[in-house]
Amino acid sequence: MRLIFTSLATLLLLWCNAQPITPFPNRYQPQPGQLAVPAKLTISAAEKELAALIPVFARSAKDFYGITVNEKSRNGFIRLVRTKQISGAEAYKLTIGKNGVVVEGGSDQGCFYGLQSLLQLLNEAQPGGTLNCAVIEDQPRFGWRGVMLDESRHFFGKEQVKQILDLMALQKLNKFHWHLTDVPGWRIEIKQYPRLTTTGGIGNHTDPAAPARFYTQEEIAEIVEYARQRFIEVIPEIDMPGHATAAVKAYPEFNGGGSERYPDFTFNPGKEGTYTFLTNILREVTGLFPSDYIHIGGDEVHFGNEHWSALPEVQQLMNSQKLKNLVEVEHYFLNRMADSIQTIGKKVVGWDEVVTAGLPNTNTLVMWWRHDQKPLLNKAIAQHYEVVLCPRIPLYFDFVQNKTHTHGRKWQGSYAPIEAVYDFPDNYFSDGISVTDPLVKGIQANVWSETIHTPERLQFMLYPRLSALAEAAWTESHAKNRERFLERMNSMLKLYQQKGINFFDYRNPDSPEIFGPEK
Ligand code: ACM
């Protein structure tokens, strides 16, 4: 008898899990009956503020699935309601009843997420079809559900970014970390220092002479607003004191030199003018991004800071500040910039090097990326830093996703297949790290673009791993099921096909790898 009950419960779970919503909701309760979807879909909002969600929903329904929604209805087939009964900043309840659909949220963002779940169900049903009656009560596992895009190595442009934001929003991802500066190019207009883009914007990882590509401040504002309407926060990264080559090419007076392999890699930490220059830049950046955070990189400075030893002003700094070596100089630099950011009124984000630099834990969020250095993550948590988990394996999406692929990165034979992305972070840590620690804010995939030359390859590396990331970030482990997820992907892949998006078809792993011109 017990066996029958267990089997029935498992069957029910599997059936629910097959409903085409990604990320899968944390609580899906089937109800008896079906709801006929009218040929002409209508939507209405109980409160004025919620009305702003309607045009975005109507646009997504049209763009993604070709479904037309009448936005002007008074008593819609879909009704949006804000209610205090739902707590949790991003929580929602979606009720598919016999007479219509009600989307409830404690916040606009919650209602928005309810609409994203509904959108995916409507695609399966289509107007004229039917929806299974159900009650979904849902909220995310992690508050930080991020994607980082590197546009310094290769520049993809506004339309690609908007497409990523669209697909992030559909799958309830909420942080877009924009890596806008690095060795090959500086991609954000700074009015006070125009050469950053006119000179620093020239070139990319493939072609150092490629014409300047960058975002004007108007374009940045447009993208930030586009993201805001989809409840995505945009976090800019201005990498320092390493990865500074494009900037110091434009303003050589702040060049701290480099190494043989990485020439002109750093800012000069011995000059007061460097701190003023960078603080002025960050002030301008602050005006463009409403996010609480600014990312200042801080990674891999040792790649190219050996020239610092030869600079008299760095020697002077070491004497006056009693700094024993170049690592202490690096830490001095990062603390100075963290002070500036605090004064500007923002919080610092840095790669995990900032833990060793000892930035104030009250104002710093750490991105743990060195998957081969788990003790560093332990240290960050022990020192009360908030952390976001983005280990190279499996969350660097420039790593290949199939063992036959040859054009992306691997790490001692390891790579980042969709299954490993999906399973993260469950069973990833066996050494006392608890992902339920409140300091663990969430997870993020990083798309570095040294080996991603074209929009087609960008899409190939992003999709459908983006969906695995979304479910890993949103769905609690008890509601995850990898096989069901992969089956559910059929409906997402159909969307990509219809939209002409070049995804990696893991169902057919021998399909050709998409890549751009090699260097
Ligand atoms: C990094 O991959 N250098 C953060």
Side-chain angles (χ1 to χ4, degrees):
M1 196 61 183
R2 184 185 291 167
L3 191 66
I4 293 174
F5 269 133
T6 315
S7 311
L8 280 176
T10 309
L11 268 178
L12 185 65
L13 187 74
L14 292 182
W15 181 82
C16 292
N17 217 269
Q19 300 297 304
I21 305 173
T22 301
F24 198 72
N26 284 299
R27 196 167 148 85
Y28 181 101
Q29 299 161 278
Q31 304 290 316
Q34 296 208 308
L35 171 66
V37 181
K40 287 196 165 72
L41 266 184
T42 54
I43 181 168
S44 59
E47 289 87 11
K48 264 212 191 84
E49 315 90 77
L50 287 175
L53 301 185
I54 292 179
V56 181
F57 174 73
R59 185 175 160 180
S60 304
K62 188 82 195 156
D63 285 358
F64 289 144
Y65 303 122
I67 297 172
T68 306
V69 178
N70 176 352
E71 302 174 33
K72 301 273 181 291
S73 166
R74 272 172 179 267
N75 191 10
F77 171 76
I78 305 162
R79 284 184 296 124
L80 296 178
V81 180
R82 261 186 75 152
T83 165
K84 290 204 172 66
Q85 269 151 23
I86 297 181
S87 59
E90 301 181 285
Y92 71 91
K93 180 174 177 187
L94 175 62
T95 307
I96 301 169
K98 294 216 172 91
N99 299 315
V101 178
V102 182
V103 180
E104 294 167 273
S107 66
D108 296 4
Q109 191 169 0
C111 290
F112 180 80
Y113 290 145
L115 285 174
Q116 303 316 304
S117 293
L118 177 63
L119 203 48
Q120 295 183 39
L121 290 173
L122 282 173
N123 176 44
E124 288 298 295
Q126 287 289 321
T130 56
L131 290 170
N132 294 316
C133 290
V135 176
I136 296 173
E137 288 171 286
D138 202 12
Q139 62 177 325
R141 177 177 184 179
F142 292 114
W144 188 293
R145 305 181 299 280
V147 173
M148 185 219 79
L149 180 66
D150 167 14
E151 289 211 82
S152 174
R153 271 49 177 255
H154 289 103
F155 184 86
F156 303 105
K158 196 165 78 172
E159 293 315 313
Q160 282 302 310
V161 169
K162 284 187 177 173
Q163 184 181 75
I164 294 170
L165 294 172
D166 281 339
L167 292 167
M168 284 176 67
L170 180 67
Q171 298 172 82
K172 307 186 179 80
L173 291 160
N174 66 352
K175 309 281 178 191
F176 180 65
H177 164 183
W178 213 355
H179 187 80
L180 287 163
T181 73
D182 211 302
V183 171
W186 181 284
R187 308 296 183 205
I188 171 172
E189 178 190 27
I190 301 293
K191 301 240 193 243
Q192 196 174 347
Y193 302 109
R195 289 204 306 276
L196 284 171
T197 42
T198 54
T199 301
I202 295 172
N204 61 41
H205 188 76
T206 314
D207 174 7
R213 297 298 307 274
F214 60 90
Y215 291 102
T216 63
Q217 295 201 352
E218 288 70 32
E219 288 170 323
I220 298 265
E222 181 185 330
I223 288 169
V224 167
E225 172 59 15
Y226 193 85
R228 187 197 63 78
Q229 289 172 2
R230 288 156 183 78
F231 296 90
I232 296 172
E233 180 180 337
V234 185
I235 298 105
E237 180 182 351
I238 307 294
D239 207 343
M240 60 184 79
H243 294 272
T245 316
V248 300
K249 180 169 75 175
Y251 290 90
E253 57 270 46
F254 306 118
N255 189 353
S259 59
E260 200 179 323
R261 183 151 177 225
Y262 295 94
D264 303 321
F265 188 68
T266 63
F267 290 113
N268 185 336
K271 281 191 175 170
E272 251 334 278
T274 304
Y275 300 98
T276 311
F277 171 66
L278 290 171
T279 302
N280 289 339
I281 291 172
L282 293 182
R283 278 191 196 284
E284 233 179 89
V285 168
T286 296
L288 295 170
F289 295 89
S291 168
D292 287 343
Y293 294 101
I294 292 189
H295 199 309
I296 55 165
D299 55 323
E300 299 174 325
V301 181
H302 65 278
F303 276 11
N305 67 345
E306 60 192 52
H307 188 68
W308 287 357
S309 317
L311 295 172
E313 59 272 26
V314 173
Q315 286 304 323
Q316 259 169 22
L317 176 77
M318 291 173 79
N319 289 338
S320 69
Q321 298 296 321
K322 303 197 173 26
L323 307 173
K324 290 197 282 297
N325 50 41
L326 295 190
V327 172
E328 290 192 4
V329 174
E330 172 188 334
H331 294 173
Y332 171 85
F333 175 97
L334 286 169
N335 276 282
R336 282 282 304 263
M337 292 315 302
D339 278 354
S340 283
I341 291 178
Q342 190 148 16
T343 307
I344 291 171
K346 295 272 176 174
K347 293 184 186 154
V348 178
V349 188
W351 298 110
D352 58 33
E353 283 86 342
V354 301
V355 175
T356 323
L359 296 198
N361 60 9
T362 47
N363 204 51
T364 308
L365 181 137
V366 173
M367 292 194 159
W368 178 67
W369 65 280
R370 287 179 287 182
H371 70 291
D372 51 335
Q373 296 198 32
K374 284 186 183 164
L376 192 63
L377 174 58
N378 266 331
K379 183 172 168 184
I381 292 173
Q383 295 186 356
H384 303 287
Y385 286 100
E386 294 189 334
V387 290
V388 168
L389 308 173
C390 51
R392 280 178 290 227
I393 301 286
L395 294 186
Y396 271 26
F397 283 7
D398 56 329
F399 277 63
V400 302
Q401 45 201 324
N402 185 274
K403 61 176 177 304
T404 60
H405 291 175
T406 53
H407 291 271
R409 287 163 78 189
K410 286 188 183 156
W411 183 274
Q412 296 166 357
S414 294
Y415 52 99
I418 188 168
E419 293 85 358
V421 177
Y422 185 81
D423 289 348
F424 189 81
D426 303 310
N427 306 321
Y428 189 83
F429 299 104
S430 54
D431 24 18
I433 293 160
S434 165
V435 291
T436 57
D437 192 307
L439 288 167
V440 176
K441 293 292 150 195
I443 70 176
Q444 177 171 295
N446 295 332
V447 188
W448 300 103
S449 62
E450 286 93 335
T451 59
I452 303 181
H453 315 72
T454 61
E456 291 72 26
R457 179 156 167 84
L458 176 63
Q459 294 161 10
F460 181 78
M461 299 305 269
L462 261 172
Y463 311 117
R465 284 191 290 191
L466 188 92
S467 301
L469 172 80
E471 191 147 320
W474 181 279
T475 309
E476 300 283 351
S477 32
H478 69 80
K480 280 168 78 176
N481 179 311
R482 199 212 287 162
E483 279 69 41
R484 295 290 139 178
F485 162 76
L486 292 174
E487 280 170 27
R488 265 189 278 118
M489 274 299 91
N490 288 332
S491 113
M492 197 62 73
L493 299 187
K494 211 160 65 189
L495 168 65
Y496 296 157
Q497 235 148 12
Q498 282 159 5
K499 300 280 300 165
I501 294 174
N502 292 286
F503 59 93
F504 169 54
D505 191 348
Y506 58 87
R507 303 165 304 185
N508 180 17
D510 296 330
S511 55
E513 183 182 7
I514 295 177
F515 53 92
E518 292 297 287
K519 204 176 170 190

